[in-house]
Amino acid sequence: MAIFVDENTKVLYQGLTGSQGRFYGLRNRDYGTQVVAGVNPKKAGTDVDGIPVYATVAEAKEATGATVSCVFIPAPGVKAAVLEAAEAGMELVVVITEGVPAQDEAYFFNKVKRDYPNTRILGPNCPGIISPGKANIGITAGEIAKAGGPVGIVSRSGTLTYQALYELKLQDIGVTTCVGIGGDPVPGTSFIDCLEAFEADPETKAVMLIGEIGGSAEEEAAEFIKNKMTKPVSAYIAGVTAPPGKKMGHAGAIVSGGKGTAAAKMEALEAAGVKVGQNPTEAGELMVEIVRSLGL
Amino acid sequence: MDLLEYQGKQFFAGFGIPVSPGEAVTTVDDAVAAAERIGYPVVIKAQVHVGGRGKAGGVKLAANADEVREHAGNILGLDIKGHVVKTIWVEFASDIAEEYYASFTLDRAAKKHLGMLSAQGGVEIEAVAETDPDAIAKIWIDPVDGLSEEACRAWVSAAKLNPDATEGAVDILLKLYRAYVDGDADLCEINPLILKPTGEVHALDAKVTLDGNAEFRHEGWDVYDATQVRDEREQAAHDKGLQYVGLDGSVGVIANGAGLAMSTVDIVNQVGGSPANFLDIGGGANAEVMAGALEVINNDPNVKSIFINIFGGITKGDEVANGIVTALGRVQIDAPIVIRIDGTNAAEGRAILADHESEKLQSKPTMIEAAKTAVELAK
């Protein structure tokens, strides 16, 4: 089993007709994902390499049965795109776009949570989600992941996620689902949402968590792991040596007012029984040890 | 994007928040002329992107033209924690009865806006939070609902300000919330928010951080961008559209992806070196971007070696290697380079680099080995 998406998931792409949307949409289809529709009000009735384009998310859903939307719309249009997808009843809205204003994120997160409680947002500014061998939605290179479990991955960083997938693959360890929650201040899906889903997924036997400086999401995850999780977890936190007050690339990655340091996050995770690596390779090795010790 | 105080006040004034009349100037003569127009007494305030201006001698009261001349002369050019004062703000000096604190920011854990209000203003709010947390009245605002007057009134009441300040505070806080939301700020802070002996409430300082991601819907933010303090390296990287943060060490770092770049900085430190920078070239990593990144690093005189750390995902390792080779043909690099390529088509990428290997260019298979080599070369 996988979490959130699998081989039966039907996906539509808001922004399929743009260059990024087309490139990744077709790549995702080549991977085996059920890419069933694109949405663009100006290009309704056309198609992208055989994928039909509809004017609205609601029409695309009606015609194809899509339940997941992947958003490649430029930042100024993301708020409207997410709200349209939620209103049309999408179960999952994966927002790849980076550079979305924080005020927009805060608004649509709370609006969707209140008015469309059955819709989950993933991102913005995330690499997407991949259930290896089943579905790949977003910009992850599918070939760097081995299918089948037993590890679930949740990460705030794109390239470090790829690194983790790849290191596990080199050790012949498979992944059930890898979720990139993104590096923005208001992520639609949190570490805890993913940990909860992995804990409930019978095929996931262990979880790898990749965090970074800024905010308190890792500390909250540690609290959840301590109290609610039975499955072993390994972790890595990027930005141990980041200077305070400087954004390290991601809008959310900043140590400010002495809060959000890597040291505090690592300490909280270790106190929750998580095996914390000093670098991505070490975190991968720790996961290998965990998997071997489970006899898998 | 942090605004200087005078920019913050102009930003506030645009939303109807009362601030003192004043002018931003860059010379002593202009300061005197401004003071004459504004009327005495005036306060002369250094405009820098750091706190602690008062203690550093960057804020002075002047009762006449001679005093303006003296203080403006001293403050212009003053070095405050490494920030040299180029602009001063001259404003009419307000009489102060009481000093409060007010701010709006995003509470990332709650995913709601957080307003903070305290009757103990004029001091660091962190210090108040530590010694007397109950002295800060907090309000969490759902962005969908916004801040109603009723909720604002209850909040002001909870902060136990002087009753004379209630009406003025409610009015300013409602406007400050609009400035924070409609103005696309990450932070709007007034410290101190003052009550004058005459009963008016007034913003005596302004600390505003704007969300650079929202620049597309605001005219005129390039003015703020022009006054950001960046060192030469950061400015050069900014001009090339690269995500760069200057650090103090000797190992230049280039990586693709913010997380990997952060991780690379960490690893250089872990193996005993010291990174010169954080530089994220993003997912693409084509020859042009790589050449631009190498130029920025090469212009940093502290750099003794360069560590390029690439994980090939969508971007293939061989494409990245070709990009690096092309970039090296275009930019004359002085420091030796250590490259680690992993991920998709890493073997092909390493084979391409092998043809160009020399004392100045080495390829290592893992992050740690590459970091160790780069650190060794920087010694």
Side-chain angles (χ1 to χ4, degrees):
Chain A
M1 257 173 73
I3 67 166
F4 303 148
V5 298
D6 61 23
E7 65 273 28
N8 299 316
T9 306
K10 290 180 177 167
V11 193
L12 63 82
Y13 287 67
Q14 289 170 271
L16 184 69
T17 51
S19 63
Q20 296 276 305
R22 179 189 170 93
F23 180 77
Y24 292 110
L26 295 180
R27 273 190 72 100
N28 289 171
R29 185 179 66 174
D30 289 346
Y31 187 80
T33 313
Q34 290 201 49
V35 178
V36 296
V39 174
N40 181 338
K42 291 183 192 136
K43 297 191 176 161
T46 65
D47 71 275
V48 172
D49 202 35
I51 305 165
V53 175
Y54 299 88
T56 65
V57 176
E59 283 173 35
K61 182 194 178 197
E62 176 72 29
T64 65
T67 56
V68 173
S69 170
C70 186
V71 176
F72 276 99
I73 304 275
V78 164
K79 181 176 163 185
V82 169
L83 293 175
E84 183 191 340
E87 193 179 356
M90 291 292 110
E91 291 165 17
L92 175 65
V93 185
V94 181
V95 187
I96 307 298
T97 313
E98 65 178 310
V100 177
Q103 293 288 350
D104 289 3
E105 291 181 13
Y107 182 88
F108 66 64
F109 175 84
N110 284 286
K111 178 80 176 165
V112 168
K113 189 176 158 202
R114 179 192 306 184
D115 294 348
Y116 313 103
N118 296 321
T119 299
R120 166 185 300 288
I121 301 168
L122 178 62
N125 189 17
C126 78
I129 177 168
I130 174 170
S131 294
K134 295 174 176 169
N136 183 12
I137 301 166
I139 62 176
T140 305
E143 57 271 29
I144 58 172
K146 180 176 152 57
V151 178
I153 299 177
V154 57
S155 169
R156 255 170 88 181
S157 154
T159 32
L160 287 177
T161 315
Y162 310 156
Q163 173 88 35
L165 282 168
Y166 186 68
E167 296 209 9
L168 293 180
K169 186 187 179 187
L170 291 179
Q171 301 287 336
D172 205 34
I173 293 173
V175 169
T176 50
T177 300
C178 174
V179 191
I181 61 174
D184 271 10
V186 193
T189 293
S190 68
F191 280 128
I192 292 175
D193 296 329
C194 299
L195 292 170
E196 207 165 21
F198 281 132
E199 176 71 14
D201 173 36
E203 274 181 23
T204 301
K205 308 293 185 197
V207 181
M208 192 163 170
L209 181 151
I210 299 166
E212 60 189 29
I213 52 163
S216 56
E218 289 80 3
E219 286 87 338
E220 289 149 27
E223 194 63 26
F224 179 85
I225 291 166
K226 194 160 131 190
N227 297 326
K228 302 277 175 65
M229 276 195 82
T230 59
K231 297 176 182 177
V233 181
S234 82
Y236 168 67
I237 307 292
V240 176
T241 52
K246 298 257 188 187
K247 273 185 193 172
M248 302 300 263
H250 283 163
I254 183 167
V255 173
S256 54
K259 286 188 185 147
T261 66
K265 292 171 186 298
M266 290 162 80
E267 201 174 299
L269 287 162
E270 274 173 351
V274 175
K275 289 193 184 327
V276 181
Q278 294 299 311
N279 53 61
T281 307
E282 200 181 304
E285 286 164 357
L286 289 169
M287 182 44 74
V288 173
E289 274 175 33
I290 290 173
V291 172
R292 301 288 179 242
S293 74
L294 292 171
L296 299 165
Chain B
M1 195 156 53
D2 294 331
L3 302 196
L4 292 165
E5 176 198 357
Y6 77 90
Q7 295 170 329
K9 285 183 171 168
Q10 289 163 352
F11 176 82
F12 282 172
F15 289 91
I17 295 166
V19 294
S20 307
E23 294 180 34
V25 297
T26 56
T27 67
V28 173
D29 286 344
D30 286 351
V32 174
E36 294 288 323
R37 279 191 291 272
I38 294 162
Y40 297 98
V42 293
V43 184
I44 297 162
K45 302 175 90 174
Q47 299 297 292
V48 283
H49 288 288
V50 286
R53 292 175 298 172
K55 275 186 194 158
V59 180
K60 294 283 180 193
L61 194 65
N64 54 52
D66 287 343
E67 288 184 17
V68 171
R69 196 165 285 284
E70 183 194 338
H71 295 316
N74 290 336
I75 294 173
L76 281 167
L78 188 68
D79 186 319
I80 302 178
K81 297 178 188 168
H83 294 246
V84 177
V85 181
K86 291 178 187 151
T87 303
I88 47 177
W89 172 247
V90 182
E91 77 173 18
F92 185 71
S94 303
D95 288 330
I96 301 169
E98 292 188 14
E99 294 184 298
Y100 308 134
Y101 170 95
S103 70
F104 290 104
T105 186
L106 174 73
D107 180 340
R108 285 168 52 178
K111 299 183 176 181
K112 300 258 191 288
H113 297 315
L114 170 64
M116 291 197 281
L117 181 64
S118 176
Q120 296 182 25
V123 292
E124 293 255 330
I125 196 67
E126 286 85 1
V128 178
E130 200 126 290
T131 55
D132 191 4
D134 292 342
I136 303 170
K138 295 181 177 178
I139 183 172
W140 279 269
I141 304 157
D142 188 315
V144 180
D145 297 328
L147 177 63
S148 70
E149 189 180 329
E150 193 187 356
C152 187
R153 231 166 244 289
W155 177 36
V156 169
S157 157
K160 300 190 177 73
L161 309 185
N162 187 319
D164 291 350
T166 301
E167 290 309 313
V170 168
D171 179 60
I172 285 186
L173 290 167
L174 288 170
K175 287 170 175 163
L176 189 66
Y177 182 74
R178 290 262 58 88
Y180 166 72
V181 174
D182 298 345
D184 274 306
D186 288 334
L187 168 72
C188 278
E189 182 183 87
I190 305 176
N191 189 20
L193 175 73
I194 59 162
L195 173 65
K196 295 186 190 177
T198 46
E200 293 119 357
V201 181
H202 183 106
L204 200 60
D205 197 4
K207 190 172 173 193
V208 176
T209 305
L210 298 176
D211 174 7
N213 284 345
E215 188 158 5
F216 66 84
R217 59 188 173 205
H218 296 280
E219 296 282 321
W221 277 18
D222 43 343
V223 175
Y224 304 139
D225 189 59
T227 53
Q228 295 303 298
V229 177
R230 301 186 180 96
D231 67 25
E232 265 177 53
R233 304 171 297 170
E234 288 178 340
Q235 189 61 48
H238 180 74
D239 293 345
K240 290 181 198 299
L242 297 167
Q243 296 276 358
Y244 179 98
V245 177
L247 303 169
D248 300 328
S250 57
V251 179
V253 168
I254 299 175
N256 66 331
L260 189 64
M262 252 188 278
S263 189
T264 308
V265 166
D266 288 347
I267 284 208
V268 168
N269 274 305
Q270 276 167 19
V271 300
S274 117
N277 65 277
F278 161 102
L279 201 171
D280 168 18
I281 55 170
N286 60 32
E288 188 159 336
V289 174
M290 186 59 81
L294 281 168
E295 263 176 50
V296 168
I297 302 269
N298 199 41
N299 288 338
D300 182 344
N302 292 331
V303 168
K304 300 285 183 284
S305 70
I306 300 171
F307 176 10
I308 303 178
N309 189 7
I310 302 294
F311 190 89
I314 297 286
T315 312
K316 304 272 194 293
D318 49 342
E319 292 166 16
V320 175
N322 280 323
I324 291 169
V325 171
T326 310
L328 288 176
R330 282 167 46 182
V331 189
Q332 175 62 41
I333 305 295
D334 307 324
I337 300 173
V338 184
I339 303 172
R340 172 262 185 175
I341 295 183
D342 215 336
T344 313
N345 290 5
E348 290 87 337
R350 287 179 206 146
I352 291 166
L353 292 172
D355 294 339
H356 296 82
E357 282 210 17
S358 68
E359 278 179 15
K360 287 280 188 139
L361 179 66
Q362 309 183 39
S363 167
K364 297 284 172 191
T366 68
M367 260 172 96
I368 291 177
E369 268 181 78
K372 281 181 180 160
T373 307
V375 168
E376 197 55 43
L377 287 168
K379 277 180 184 160

